[in-house]
């Protein structure tokens, strides 16, 4: 499974602080450590700072120390645009996080997706908000696919995020999410992604819930996850579940992690 490191997000108070302080060394330390821990992508979010200007600074600062591709996380077309313009190297590797069927978002972000032909995360949300049922989310997925394929976008670059809602709001939210993942993989030739941690909102032992949730998501067909790669226990869950799901030929990655003493039991 593809791992998108979540740490460089201005929603985390300590990260907001180092971005506001333009503390390049602290940002670069988080970038380097996530990459070393196995992140395939680094998510960058500056929504709680000076969004556009700080995205430019963050992209530049991170790329000074790592070649790991970036996931530009913003609801604002302007911040995504600035991020893409600033990226050095192959811009078609950047994941745009995200597009949706919300009219304004679609108008702002679709032209960027088409210009750079890069992977994009599509949220199952429209101007009526996040749907309560799996059926409505599948319908929005269909609309996103229709919109993108009409523009000849390569659908194998589309990651659908069916959006996790807290269990504390409805005790069936996790099973509804698994249903979404299975339906999307069965019906369409696209990938799936999730931010996971919303599932445990307002509950104790959040990391425990997130970890078990992750394994069922993987078994339900999740291709990528936005998570904290510095959390050894969640990374162990990913490595072990990939082994069990037949995604790790000859157990190569599992044994490598074992030899490096990275598996937490
Ligand atoms: N889908 C998409 N994008 C997203 C989300 C999603 N981007 C934002 C968010 N959800 C995913 N990113 C984060 C980033 C940080 C945290 C949670 C989600 C977070 N971090 C704490 C920290 O680092 O201090 C705790 C981490 C921990 O130890 O578990 O809370 O759903 N497309």
């Amino acid at each position: 499974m593809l791992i998108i490191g979540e740490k460089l997000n201005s929603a985390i108070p300590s990260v907001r602080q180092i971005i506001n302080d333009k503390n390049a060394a602290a940002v670069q330390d988080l970038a380097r450590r996530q990459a070393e821990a196995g992140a395939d992508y680094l998510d960058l979010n500056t929504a709680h700072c000076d969004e556009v200007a700080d995205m430019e600074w963050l992209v530049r600062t991170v790329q000074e120390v790592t070649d790991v591709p970036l996931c530009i996380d913003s609801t604002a077309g302007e911040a995504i645009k600035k991020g893409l313009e600033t990226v050095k190297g192959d811009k078609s590797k950047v994941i745009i996080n995200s597009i949706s069927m919300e009219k304004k978002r679609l108008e702002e972000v679709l032209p960027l997706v088409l210009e750079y032909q890069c992977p994009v995360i599509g949220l199952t949300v429209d101007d009526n908000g996040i749907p309560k049922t799996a059926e409505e989310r599948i319908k929005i997925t269909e609309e996103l696919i229709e919109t993108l394929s009409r523009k000849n976008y390569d659908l194998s670059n589309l990651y659908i995020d069916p959006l996790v809602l807290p269990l504390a709001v409805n005790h069936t939210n996790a099973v509804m999410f698994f249903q979404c993942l299975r339906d999307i993989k069965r019906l369409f030739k696209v990938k799936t992604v999730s931010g996971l941690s919303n599932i445990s909102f307002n509950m104790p032992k959040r990391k425990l819930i997130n970890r078990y949730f992750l394994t069922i998501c993987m078994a339900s067909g999740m291709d990528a996850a936005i998570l904290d790669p510095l959390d050894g226990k969640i990374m162990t869950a990913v490595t072990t579940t990939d082994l069990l799901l037949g995604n790790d030929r000859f157990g190569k990655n599992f044994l490598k992690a074992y030899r490096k003493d990275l598996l937490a039991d």
Side-chain angles (χ1 to χ4, degrees):
M1 191 190 57
L2 203 75
I3 291 164
I4 305 172
E6 72 179 15
K7 286 303 235 191
L8 288 168
N9 189 319
S10 61
I12 303 170
S14 57
V15 175
R16 185 182 319 159
Q17 192 64 47
I18 63 177
I19 295 172
N20 283 335
D21 294 346
K22 298 293 167 293
N23 185 344
V27 160
Q28 291 171 340
D29 184 55
L30 274 176
R32 224 186 275 113
R33 281 164 55 217
Q34 290 185 95
E36 280 165 11
D40 301 295
Y41 275 86
L42 297 178
D43 190 79
L44 304 185
N45 176 301
T46 54
H48 302 268
C49 299
D50 181 350
E51 186 158 20
V52 178
D54 286 345
M55 183 60 83
E56 179 179 6
W57 179 79
L58 196 55
V59 168
R60 238 189 311 108
T61 304
V62 167
Q63 287 205 312
E64 277 171 19
V65 295
T66 179
D67 292 329
V68 173
L70 304 179
C71 177
I72 307 288
D73 185 352
S74 173
T75 55
E78 222 192 312
I80 295 175
K81 185 166 191 281
K82 182 60 83 179
L84 281 162
E85 283 168 1
T86 309
V87 165
K88 62 172 203 264
D90 187 357
K91 294 178 200 258
S92 72
K93 275 204 176 139
V94 174
I95 298 181
I96 294 180
N97 184 11
S98 54
I99 198 168
S100 74
M101 285 307 289
E102 294 160 294
K103 190 164 181 291
K104 183 165 179 287
R105 181 101 70 115
L106 199 56
E107 273 170 15
E108 286 183 11
V109 182
L110 184 58
L112 298 169
V113 174
L114 297 173
E115 180 182 348
Y116 292 96
Q117 293 292 326
C118 48
V120 64
I121 296 177
L123 307 182
T124 59
V125 56
D126 62 15
D127 287 315
N128 299 314
I130 304 176
K132 291 220 163 34
T133 66
E135 290 75 21
E136 292 169 284
R137 290 166 191 220
I138 299 303
K139 186 157 173 290
I140 296 178
T141 301
E142 238 163 17
E143 289 165 5
L144 278 166
I145 289 174
E146 163 70 20
T147 303
L148 286 163
S149 54
R150 226 185 300 129
K151 304 282 184 184
N152 291 319
Y153 179 77
D154 177 1
L155 290 177
S156 67
N157 276 334
L158 174 61
Y159 288 79
I160 294 292
D161 181 345
L163 289 169
V164 176
L165 290 179
L167 272 175
V169 172
N170 184 317
H171 73 285
T172 62
N173 272 340
V175 281
M176 191 266 280
F177 193 78
F178 306 141
Q179 187 67 48
C180 286
L181 290 171
R182 282 195 302 265
D183 286 348
I184 292 165
K185 294 309 290 186
R186 181 169 52 83
L187 295 167
F188 312 110
K189 284 194 169 57
V190 299
K191 298 191 174 78
T192 52
V193 63
S194 151
L196 299 171
S197 63
N198 255 354
I199 197 66
S200 59
F201 180 74
N202 241 354
M203 301 273 283
K205 291 281 180 192
R206 290 194 64 175
K207 288 187 182 200
L208 178 76
I209 298 171
N210 294 349
R211 207 154 66 231
Y212 281 89
F213 180 60
L214 166 93
T215 66
I216 307 179
C217 286
M218 288 177 71
S220 306
M222 189 171 68
D223 297 291
I226 306 170
L227 53 75
D228 178 3
L230 304 183
D231 176 343
K233 285 187 171 173
I234 203 156
M235 292 302 279
T236 297
V238 172
T239 306
T240 309
T241 308
D242 267 331
L243 173 79
L244 292 169
L245 289 174
N247 298 333
D248 183 9
R249 223 181 157 80
F250 308 122
K252 201 170 151 226
N253 291 328
F254 184 85
L255 292 172
K256 195 166 124 202
Y258 168 70
R259 286 191 204 103
K260 287 186 174 176
D261 201 21
L262 293 175
L263 299 177
D265 53 14

